[in-house]
């Protein structure tokens, strides 16, 4: 019976995913093995050339570059977001939902609106520069907008609440006595954090990191607006294949590549976070 | 069912649909697309269903035709085609308006702040290899065909060039140009000019006019190496279930008054002789590029669907964007 | 954790984070009241743009559509995703895992999912509209909810589930009366996340929307307006949305005083 | 009244390599108070979990009223478990925790309230009915766990260390209450306890587990007085062991002195053996004792009601323990180093193979 | 060796309305083994938590070596606490849990490993060193918690029910080990236990808490033999209480019979009083007893080493309990309903105000 239960909890979601994700996506991704027609469209003729093309160093470079930006954004977001989630979780319990609410509220405006607000802040004639001028600074300020930094700021900003939410979940009910036990054994707050709280909340951190990473690597609005279109994320590349170049087979091949790599990373992450958080298979069943 | 029309935002007179309804009795709905690519993707994935008339740039109209999604036009039902300039009925992408009707046309050139830029820029090199004062104050269009177009024109190649060596030349040129660029931008470049963030931008003529409207110091110039001739078209979809009304709509747009009215609202040239002749001269004064004649424009090559070479184009653009 | 200096440190972190979160918001707040509407200069206080907004039925309609999509897909995704997370964790504890399908919706590039769904729907001759956006948003939202809830479940005390079963509860009752209440903070976090994702999502919504105006969402509307930059009405709308959210929260607080989600 | 309620047939539970429960067969009778004793880690909790239905035996069968219940889910077994770790619902108050099981039975609200109130007063937590578990002391939590299981009045109640965190006073009261509930409602109890006295006093029968195996099962008197082997003898109560050898029908201690004792049949001359006698069976002086022993007091411990002497003797490498009543002790002002003689009778001596 | 290590001056801890600890003043001496006894919920854990530094007293002071440590954070107090709920680190193995505190002291790795190994063998978990807590039995977890605190060898070690989940055998061994560690390393222990025997045997001094207040503090003998009031007498061990009245210098039971006992000075004629005598002080027969009592056996309980008789008597509404050694019991084959006479001496009688 304990065997049947998880299945029927999962069935609705799995059915949903099968109908509205697995089947449609397989149909599209299968195109990776066919040829692009001269004017776009698909010629149903088996080929591995699209797959082969993915391994061109150019795409590897783009992949690494966007993974670098996404990784940096995810790392920064995780640091800030975890700290904020930790702070929220250490506030009186009845305040916590309100704090969470206000942490996500800005993100119920609109992505473009927020991104433009950053443009207003960061541009050469923008608020930050004006402010610096107003307080008497008249040196040259480095170009902030249309740089990688701006892209990272934009990504961190927009995905920060997701990290806060992901980290808050496991932090919300940590047993305080475990924290106390560590203090009692001579650990400072910081050491306790590093050796006890942090490892126990690795699942939340990993989840938050994954959120920012996958959302960033597929983002094209922020690189376009805050990066001045000078940085190409892998998501952008895929988008271009499907829409601009009308090259679905290659878009599908790139997508498969991206999905495969991310799956690999995620499996690693699950594995690592389970090790770190002390989760283990509770028993070795004999079946 | 309502007639469903997809167009860019602000690319028709705001009341155009109401007056169409009033004039023809057909209910119509306007939905918006941000880019050619969006609406193309949507049409291809849905096999051309759901829309009756779409506004797309000419290479995309060609794709719709190639994929068999565009309606073969019955000229009988479009009497107002007669209002078009003769040149506009023989455009390279669709001679004889078999499946598309030109809505607007124009050139791609340089839009700049005459009060900030020294002298009058007159070459693509002024954009690609700007003077010291202009370093970091230029933008280029981000869409692949127009981005490459600037390079092709600077090099004196065809804007539809497919020779790999020439493509490589252009790639190198554009990668170098990237150094001095503020950003790639094909949506808000005029605003950057207005705010002064940018001083010289790669622009479509009509869109430069939006800048001129806000700041009279902004000017438009076609570099001496030339421009492309871009054409935005109306396509009736084969899958349309309201063909009657769709024809009526296209015909309605081609009406001299209506098309003029559109031009005055959106500040783009329309290929409608009757409309252009009736255009308010004051407008041409304020926005000189509205005064360009079909004759002058026909000197320029149109962007065409390049078939398999599209793969190479995409790759080159990726190389440019990935360069640092 | 409760000593005073660390509390002060926590407050410091919170203030800094909230400052970061709200600085751009205050900018657009200010812009929405700027008479000229241009970000370049302050030309005086005006509620003009709010008037424009109210008069713009396209934007208001799109905003309402977005709200419908976000709410319905959040509810569906929260339900499906939470159950999925619980099921997966129970199963994982028994040693078998099927992670891939569950991660996939997060990783699949938006454009692939968008095109795949549209092709799929039109292949089946599915009528498209708000409902197809909702279906599609539920796909990725449920994966995000599932991930958040799972992060919490890793430190869940499963013995209370056994206790509940032992006391005679059927699995659905245990779910409703024990697992879900204890998971509430995580479920609320997951729902907030789903709502936030949905409210901003553009590509998938664009492709799975019907062709009429009645399934245009706010991001679709705004993205298509991008060539004019962000117009001040949109700033006004953003401010309005946030204000209404706060008002709604305050009212719900008042209605069930002291009883908050997550308690 | 002695019909069998529960039968365990050759139950085994493996965790990887480890056999936590290893071939246990056992019958529990209707309305019996059955105690499980065993060292920490001997498999007691694991056994209870299988009875409650949370773990499947790796092999073997569990019959309730003669029906195999291995496949019956926990919520359909007329069996309740009080968890060693309490497993209280953190989001419910004390009263809600206790009411939960009754609500599952869909009893009318008034009856639920009545029984919850009754149980609260039984476990003496009426004043804390509205508290959440995290605001309770350890013993209070344990009582909630106990109350939550008891209030269901199942046919078979499994209690994993039900009174371990309670002070003696309260434990005594709770023990009485358990007995009372058992009699009133005819519930069969299986109780894990590490408190042997509790087991000896309360249980009808006791089972001793060792490393997952059933060592001995019997009445408290049997277990205490006739342990089956050295381990059982040592595990329950205190036992003095004297190494010995069987020598032509008699038992001889290491110093050669004879130990009068009933010899088990399976001991042959030349075998090594252990003579065992409980400390309370040793008396001061050797008058009419079958066995006697001289020793030097190496330590003394005051236990309130009695005094323990540790004697160094020539017959054992370990000190021999003597338990004197306070009464007896007060007659002699003992001091460490003093020599004393003690005696005991043959029938108080048990002999095990070494 | 009797210098004061820790002084509590009027410590109070409130949770809202509740005074969990209420004006406790206490001195703990260097190297002392101090036991805290008290009913469930009496404030024992709360007191330890204040000593460890997790909770601030609502008022009062804690002095260690004469210095007020109220503001010293837990990690800078030379004090360790073993938690009643264990609070093991779920993500660390048994060995890592134990090593943690030593790593905090930045000891060299080799020394850490050595001490961890040693501790693992002390707590008999060497074979489970690599397990995670969730794979341990209740008693095994408790031992890890104990080992983790012990291995630090602090000046003051606070143990909250350190042996509560262990079987008697292991508990005995652990008790010896605790004593041994205390002697070897000169650690001061404060142990919360609900096992009175443990407290009586091991502690140098015992404090009894009741509802957050300190009731009595003294040596085990003092506490057992001279409880300060009825509650203390009742709490430790078993006590028979006989209601009585002071009547011109003598004490009279409810049936008018005289009770020979030393009278406390503060009792005046006419006062209500309680005479108290421990069950093991009652002897069969009345030969040379100062007090005697006839009763009918209402219940008998076999406790392994002794036999408890419950007598219905005319002097008390509650049954009077008599504790006979197995030896004494085997002489008489008692049966329920039988009439017996018991006697006890005046010096074994305590008198409390009612
Ligand atoms: N966080 C809290 N909030 C409110 N009351 C509490 C809290 N912690 C403890 N109490 C109450 O304080 C009193 C003392 O609790 P404490 O844990 O000190 O008892 P204890 O003597 O350790 O009992 P036990 O032997 O059962 O562990 C109890 O009545 C308990 O319910
Ligand atoms: N999930 C598990 N995985 C691996 N081993 C386990 C697991 N649970 C229990 N064990 C092991 O099985 C053995 C029996 O455990 P069990 O909990 O039944 O002991 P117990 O008799 O209840 O002990 P205690 O009196 O200490 O509670 C122990 O050695 C324990 O370490
Ligand atoms: N891979 C699918 C993720 C969908 C989430 N898109 C959200 C976009 C927010 N701007
Ligand atoms: Mg156990
Ligand atoms: Mg306690």
């Amino acid at each position: 019976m304990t065997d049947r239960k998880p299945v029927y909890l999962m069935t609705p979601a799995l059915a949903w995913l099968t109908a509205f994700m697995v089947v449609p996506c397989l149909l599209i991704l299968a195109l990776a093995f066919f040829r692009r027609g001269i004017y776009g469209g698909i010629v149903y003729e088996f080929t591995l050339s699209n797959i082969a093309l993915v391994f061109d160093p150019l795409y590897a470079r783009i992949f690494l570059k966007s993974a670098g930006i996404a990784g940096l954004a995810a790392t920064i977001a995780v640091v800030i977001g975890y700290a904020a989630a930790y702070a929220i979780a250490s506030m009186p319990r009845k305040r916590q939902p309100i704090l969470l609410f206000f942490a996500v509220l800005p993100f119920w405006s609109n992505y473009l609106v927020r991104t433009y607000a950053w443009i207003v802040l960061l541009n050469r004639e923008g608020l930050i520069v004006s402010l610096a001028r107003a307080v008497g600074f008249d040196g040259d300020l480095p170009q902030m907008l249309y740089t990688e930094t701006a892209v990272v700021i934009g990504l961190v900003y927009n995905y920060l609440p997701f990290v806060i939410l992901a980290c808050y979940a496991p932090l919300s009910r940590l047993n305080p006595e475990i924290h106390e036990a560590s203090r009692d054994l001579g650990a400072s707050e910081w050491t306790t954090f590093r050796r006890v709280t942090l490892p126990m909340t690795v699942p939340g951190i990993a989840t938050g990191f994954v959120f920012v990473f996958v959302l960033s690597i597929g983002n094209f609005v922020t690189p376009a607006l805050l990066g001045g279109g000078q940085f190409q994320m892998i998501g952008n590349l895929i988008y271009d294949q499907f829409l601009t170049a009308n090259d679905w087979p290659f878009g599908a091949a790139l997508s498969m590549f991206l999905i495969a790599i991310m799956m690999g990373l995620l499996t690693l992450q699950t594995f690592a976070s389970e090790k770190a958080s002390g989760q283990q298979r509770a028993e070795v069943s004999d079946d | 069912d309502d007639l469903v029309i997809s167009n860019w935002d602000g690319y028709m007179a705001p009341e155009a649909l109401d007056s169409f309804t009033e004039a023809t009795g057909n209910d119509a709905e306007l939905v918006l697309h941000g880019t050619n690519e969006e609406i193309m993707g949507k049409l291809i994935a849905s096999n051309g269903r759901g829309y009756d008339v779409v506004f797309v740039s000419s290479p995309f109209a060609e794709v719709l035709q190639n994929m068999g999604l565009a309606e073969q036009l019955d000229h009988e039902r479009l009497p107002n085609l007669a209002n078009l300039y003769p040149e506009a009925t023989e455009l390279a992408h669709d001679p004889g308006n078999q499946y598309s009707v030109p809505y607007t046309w124009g050139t791609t050139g340089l839009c700049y702040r005459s009060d900030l830029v020294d002298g009058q820029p007159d070459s693509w090199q002024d954009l690609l290899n700007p003077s010291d004062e202009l370093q970091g104050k230029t933008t280029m269009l981000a869409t692949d065909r127009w981005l490459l177009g600037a390079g092709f024109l600077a090099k004196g190649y065809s804007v539809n060039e497919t020779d790999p060596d020439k493509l490589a030349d252009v790639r190198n040129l554009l990668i170098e140009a990237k150094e001095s660029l503020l950003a790639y931008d094909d949506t808000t470049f005029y605003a950057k000019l207005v705010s002064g963030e940018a001083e010289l931008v790669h622009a479509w003529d009509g869109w430069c006019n939006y800048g001129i409207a806000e700041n009279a110091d902004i000017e438009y110039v076609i570099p001496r190496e030339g421009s492309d001739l871009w054409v935005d078209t109306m396509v009736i979809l084969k899958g349309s279930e309201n063909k009657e009304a769709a024809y009526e709509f296209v015909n309605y747009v081609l009406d001299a008054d209506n098309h003029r009215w559109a031009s005055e609202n959106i500040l783009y040239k329309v290929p409608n002789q009757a409309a252009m002749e009736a255009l308010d001269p004051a407008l041409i004064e304020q926005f000189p590029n509205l005064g360009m004649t079909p004759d002058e424009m026909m000197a320029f090559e149109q962007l065409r669907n390049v078939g398999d070479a599209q793969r190479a184009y995409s790759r080159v653009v990726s190389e440019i964007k990935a360069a640092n | 954790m409760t000593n005073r200096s660390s509390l002060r440190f926590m407050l410091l972190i919170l203030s800094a984070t909230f400052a970061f979160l709200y600085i751009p918001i205050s900018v657009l707040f200010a812009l929405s009241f700027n008479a000229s509407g241009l970000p370049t200069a302050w030309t005086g206080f005006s509620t003009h743009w709010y008037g424009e907004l109210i008069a713009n039925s396209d934007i208001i309609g799109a905003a309402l559509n977005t709200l419908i999509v976000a709410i319905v897909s959040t509810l569906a995704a929260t339900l499906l995703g939470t159950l999925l997370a619980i099921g997966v964790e129970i199963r994982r504890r028994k040693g078998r895992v099927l992670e891939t399908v569950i991660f996939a919706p997060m990783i699949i590039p938006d454009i692939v999912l968008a095109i795949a769904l549209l092709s799929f729907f039109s292949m089946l001759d599915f009528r498209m509209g708000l409902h197809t956006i909702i279906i599609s948003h539920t796909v990725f939202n449920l994966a995000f909810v599932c991930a958040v809830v799972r992060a919490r479940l890793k430190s869940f005390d499963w013995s209370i589930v056994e206790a509940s079963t032992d006391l005679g509860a059927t699995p659905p009752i245990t779910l409703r009366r024990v697992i879900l209440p204890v998971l509430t903070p995580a479920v609320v976090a997951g729902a907030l996340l789903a709502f936030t994702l949905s409210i901003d999502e553009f590509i998938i919504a664009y492709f799975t929307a019907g062709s009429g105006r009645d399934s245009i969402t706010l991001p679709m509307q705004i993205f298509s307006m991008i060539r004019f930059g962000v117009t001040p009405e949109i700033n006004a709308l953003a401010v309005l949305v946030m204000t209404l959210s706060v008002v709604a929260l305050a009212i719900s607080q008042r209605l069930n005083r002291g009883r908050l989600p997550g308690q | 009244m002695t019909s069998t309620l529960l039968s365990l047939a050759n139950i085994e539970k493996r965790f990887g390599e480890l056999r936590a429960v290893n071939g246990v067969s056992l019958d529990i009778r209707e309305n019996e108070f059955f105690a499980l004793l065993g060292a920490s880690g001997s498999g007691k909790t694991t056994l209870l979990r299988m009875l409650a239905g949370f773990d499947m035996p790796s092999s073997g069968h569990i019959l309730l009223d003669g029906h195999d219940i291995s496949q019956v889910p926990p919520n359909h077994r007329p069996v309740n478990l009080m968890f060693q770790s309490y497993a209280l619902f953190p989001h419910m108050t004390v009263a809600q925790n206790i009411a939960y099981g009754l609500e599952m039975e869909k009893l009318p609200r008034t009856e639920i309230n009545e029984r919850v109130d009754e149980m609260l007063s039984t476990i003496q937590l009426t004043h804390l009915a509205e508290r959440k578990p995290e605001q309770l002391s350890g013993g209070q939590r344990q009582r909630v766990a106990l109350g939550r299981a008891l209030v269901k009045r199942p046919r078979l109640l499994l209690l994993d260390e039900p009174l371990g965190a309670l002070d003696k006073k309260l434990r005594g009261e709770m023990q009485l209450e358990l007995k009372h509930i058992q009699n009133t409602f005819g519930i069969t109890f299986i109780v894990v306890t590490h408190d042997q006295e509790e087991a000896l006093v309360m249980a009808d029968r006791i089972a001793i587990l060792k490393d997952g195996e059933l060592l001995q099962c019997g009445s408290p008197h049997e277990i205490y007085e006739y342990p089956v082997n050295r381990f059982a003898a040592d595990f329950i109560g205190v036992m003095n062991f004297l190494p010995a050898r069987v020598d032509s029908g008699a038992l001889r201690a290491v110093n050669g002195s004879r130990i009068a004792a009933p010899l088990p049949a399976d001991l042959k001359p030349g075998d090594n053996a252990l003579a065992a006698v409980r400390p309370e069976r040793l008396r001061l002086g050797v008058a009419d004792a079958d066995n006697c022993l001289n020793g030097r007091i190496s330590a003394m411990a005051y236990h309130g009601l009695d005094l323990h002497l540790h004697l160094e003797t020539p017959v054992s490498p370990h000190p021999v323990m003597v338990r004197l009543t306070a009464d007896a002790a007060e007659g002699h002002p003992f001091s460490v180093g003093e020599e004393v003689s003690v005696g005991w009778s043959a029938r108080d001596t048990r002999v095990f193979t070494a």
Side-chain angles (χ1 to χ4, degrees), chain A residues 30-240:
Chain A
L31 299 180
F33 299 99
F34 297 107
R35 223 175 270 292
R36 176 188 191 265
I38 290 199
Y39 297 108
I42 315 295
V43 178
Y44 288 94
E45 201 180 284
F46 182 83
T47 172
L48 288 175
S49 64
N50 300 303
I51 307 285
L53 197 56
V54 168
F55 294 95
D56 187 307
L58 169 64
Y59 300 113
R61 217 165 69 228
I62 293 175
F63 188 87
L64 285 180
K65 178 77 182 171
S66 55
I69 291 178
L72 182 62
T75 306
I76 296 172
V78 158
V79 171
I80 303 176
Y82 187 88
Y86 190 96
I88 291 175
S90 58
M91 293 293 132
R93 193 163 282 168
K94 59 178 192 294
R95 298 263 171 78
Q96 295 176 12
I98 306 217
L99 289 170
L100 276 190
F101 171 83
F102 279 102
V104 294
L105 181 64
F107 302 86
W108 296 354
S109 58
N110 175 274
Y111 196 97
L112 275 183
V113 171
R114 291 190 302 276
T115 305
Y116 271 94
W118 275 108
I119 293 180
V120 170
L121 281 167
L122 293 179
N123 83 50
R124 186 152 45 209
E125 312 295 325
L127 274 183
I128 290 178
V129 174
S130 313
L131 221 62
R133 297 265 150 76
V135 298
F137 181 87
D138 53 359
D140 259 351
L141 282 161
Q143 171 76 25
M144 287 178 287
L145 198 53
Y146 315 122
T147 61
E148 207 172 302
T149 312
V151 175
V152 172
I153 290 177
L155 295 173
V156 168
Y157 180 76
N158 275 298
Y159 299 138
L160 186 57
F162 301 155
V163 182
I164 295 178
L165 294 172
C167 292
Y168 171 77
L171 277 168
S172 65
R173 265 200 191 268
L174 274 192
N175 178 358
E177 281 192 349
I178 292 191
H179 179 272
E180 291 171 352
S182 165
R183 299 279 280 134
D184 184 67
L185 292 168
S188 60
E189 275 293 336
W190 169 243
T191 308
T192 299
F193 171 74
R194 200 168 46 79
R195 302 264 327 251
V196 177
T197 313
L198 193 65
M200 286 179 66
T201 48
V202 162
I205 295 173
T207 304
F209 186 93
V210 168
F211 286 175
V212 182
F213 190 85
V214 301
L215 290 169
S216 296
I217 210 165
N219 190 307
F220 38 84
V221 177
T222 299
L225 295 183
L226 296 182
Q230 299 169 94
F231 307 93
Q232 206 172 20
M233 301 299 270
I234 193 83
N236 200 348
L237 184 65
I238 292 170
Y239 178 91
D240 283 346

Side-chain angles (χ1 to χ4, degrees), chain C residues 166, chain D residues 47-55 72-75 77 79-81 158:
Chain C
D166 185 67
Chain D
L47 192 60
L48 291 197
R49 288 178 55 80
M50 290 187 284
L51 298 186
F54 300 125
D55 288 336
V72 178
N75 53 323
R77 298 190 186 191
V79 172
N80 283 109
L81 170 62
L158 311 171

Side-chain angles (χ1 to χ4, degrees), chain A residues 282-283, chain D residues 15 18 20 38-47 84 160-161:
Chain A
E283 68 183 74
Chain D
F15 292 114
L18 180 87
S40 167
S42 59
K44 306 180 294 294
T45 298
T46 307
L47 192 60
Q84 188 171 13
D160 202 349
E161 299 269 9

Side-chain angles (χ1 to χ4, degrees), chain B residues 4 8-11 29-34 38-39 41-42 45-46 49-51 187-188 190 195 207 210 268, chain C residues 38 40 115 118-119 122-123 125 202 206-214 216 221 223-229:
Chain B
V4 179
W8 288 273
D9 188 36
Y11 215 42
E29 235 179 297
L30 174 65
V31 293
L32 302 175
H33 53 259
E38 281 164 20
I39 186 66
K42 185 143 188 179
S46 68
R49 274 180 299 186
Y51 297 87
T187 45
T188 58
Y190 82 86
S195 74
W207 215 323
Y210 296 169
Y268 276 81
Chain C
L38 285 176
T40 33
I115 287 189
L118 173 53
S119 310
S122 53
M123 209 170 79
D125 239 336
F202 162 64
Y206 178 80
F207 275 82
T208 56
S211 46
R213 277 219 63 91
D214 52 0
I216 285 182
Q221 177 74 28
F223 267 83
S224 66
M225 293 163 61
I226 193 170
R227 67 167 63 186
F228 302 108

Side-chain angles (χ1 to χ4, degrees), chain B residues 8 12 14 38 48 62 66 104 115 125 146 148 167 169 175 197 200 205 210 214 231-232 260 280 288 295 304 307 316:
Chain B
W8 288 273
M12 286 196 288
E38 281 164 20
E62 251 183 288
N66 289 329
T104 52
D115 54 333
Q125 289 302 337
W146 280 282
L148 294 182
L167 265 178
D169 278 355
I175 287 177
E197 262 185 284
L200 172 70
D205 45 9
Y210 296 169
E214 291 196 24
V231 181
D232 285 344
R260 174 188 54 79
D280 180 357
D295 212 31
R304 300 294 311 281
V316 166

Side-chain angles (χ1 to χ4, degrees), chain D residues 53-322:
Chain D
F54 300 125
D55 288 336
M56 293 287 150
S58 306
S59 68
H61 296 278
I62 302 173
L63 307 180
L64 189 81
D65 286 332
H67 299 102
D68 191 328
I69 57 166
S70 305
Q71 299 306 317
V72 178
N75 53 323
H76 291 133
R77 298 190 186 191
V79 172
N80 283 109
L81 170 62
M82 177 200 145
F83 289 75
Q84 188 171 13
S85 64
Y86 314 153
L88 299 181
F89 304 127
H91 59 299
M92 298 184 192
T93 62
V94 168
Q96 288 167 341
N97 263 282
I98 294 173
Y100 188 84
L102 300 178
E103 289 166 8
M104 293 306 119
E105 295 175 25
K106 304 226 173 10
L107 296 184
R109 194 71 239 177
T110 50
E111 186 182 343
I112 294 181
N113 291 343
E114 229 165 70
R115 277 169 67 177
V116 169
D117 287 348
E118 205 177 289
M119 187 47 67
L120 282 169
S121 91
T122 299
I123 57 174
Q124 305 182 18
L125 288 179
T126 307
H127 60 301
L128 300 181
E130 297 311 316
R131 289 264 191 94
K132 295 274 177 76
E134 63 176 358
Q135 300 170 302
L136 299 179
S137 78
Q140 289 162 348
R141 286 178 206 180
Q142 190 172 51
R143 279 178 277 160
V144 179
L146 179 60
R148 192 176 64 174
L150 274 179
V151 79
K152 294 266 292 179
R153 299 175 192 160
R155 296 213 35 210
L156 175 61
L157 190 53
L158 311 171
L159 305 169
D160 202 349
E161 299 269 9
L163 311 174
L166 304 186
D167 58 281
K168 180 153 181 166
K169 203 84 221 149
L170 193 52
R171 195 154 73 240
E173 291 170 30
M174 287 300 185
Q175 285 171 356
L176 283 183
E177 197 57 44
L178 285 183
K179 275 289 198 191
H180 174 73
I181 288 174
Q182 176 181 38
N183 293 332
T184 315
F185 300 107
I187 303 174
T188 304
F189 279 70
I190 302 182
V191 179
V192 166
T193 174
H194 61 264
D195 182 334
Q196 301 165 28
E197 198 180 320
E198 193 166 278
L200 291 171
V201 178
M202 299 187 64
D204 297 318
R205 282 193 306 149
I206 293 176
I208 300 182
L209 281 184
K210 178 171 193 262
D211 298 337
E213 290 182 51
L214 183 66
L215 210 63
Q216 186 171 9
C217 177
S219 73
H221 189 262
E222 256 167 54
I223 297 265
Y224 191 80
E225 296 296 349
Y226 303 100
V228 288
N229 64 14
R230 190 209 159 122
F231 179 87
D234 199 24
F235 189 75
I236 302 280
V238 182
M239 188 65 102
N240 292 303
F241 292 101
L242 311 177
R245 254 179 104 82
V246 184
D247 179 9
S248 58
L251 206 59
R252 298 214 171 268
V254 286
N255 68 346
S257 64
R258 185 168 179 280
I259 300 175
L263 267 191
D266 58 342
L267 278 180
K268 290 172 303 294
D271 282 359
N272 284 327
L274 276 174
V277 59
R278 300 231 178 249
E280 70 272 16
R281 297 292 177 165
L282 294 167
R283 274 161 307 164
L284 276 186
V286 295
D288 42 70
D290 303 321
N291 292 294
C292 73
L293 190 59
N294 296 320
R296 213 176 53 84
I297 300 179
S298 64
M300 290 177 11
Y302 175 70
H303 277 237
L305 63 90
D306 50 17
L307 180 75
H308 294 190
L309 300 182
H310 293 250
L311 300 185
E312 277 170 20
T313 67
V315 295
S316 168
H318 304 289
V320 169
M321 182 142 107
V322 184

